[in-house]
Amino acid sequence: MGKGVVPDTARQSVASARTLALQKADLILLVLDASKGLTEEDAYLLTQSIPEKTVVIWNKMDLALRELPVLEFPFQVQISVKEKQGLEELK
């Protein structure tokens, strides 16, 4: 097996652990990169997250080049850590 190659069994273990953690969590803070829009990985994590206990945090709003998608999550915050914008909403 080459350097940097992750065996399928390890990937399955990580996926199972992530799914279990998302199910057991009281609160999920899901930070997404607004400069990249919604990636395939982001979409997958959203499908695994329970909307009622997930806060979707769009970071890097100062670099967002397009409109963000409409998500069916009741708790969403748009911030820019670099520009110190929207951070009060996280409190």
Side-chain angles (χ1 to χ4, degrees), residues 12-81:
Q12 291 167 343
S13 272
V14 169
S16 295
R18 178 180 53 222
T19 299
L20 182 61
L22 288 170
Q23 290 171 350
K24 288 183 141 193
D26 293 328
L27 175 67
I28 301 165
L29 300 175
L30 184 56
V31 181
L32 305 178
D33 186 340
S35 70
K36 294 181 181 178
L38 191 66
T39 66
E40 203 173 294
E41 183 179 354
D42 295 341
Y44 174 77
L45 289 172
L46 287 165
T47 65
Q48 300 299 303
S49 300
I50 298 166
E52 293 76 21
K53 63 180 187 177
T54 301
V55 178
V56 177
I57 303 169
W58 288 99
N59 189 28
K60 298 187 182 180
M61 286 303 297
D62 56 309
L63 301 176
L65 301 176
R66 54 181 101 57
E67 258 187 64
L68 298 174
V70 175
L71 302 175
E72 298 294 324
F73 283 74
F75 309 108
Q76 296 184 55
V77 180
Q78 297 179 357
I79 67 172
S80 169
V81 173

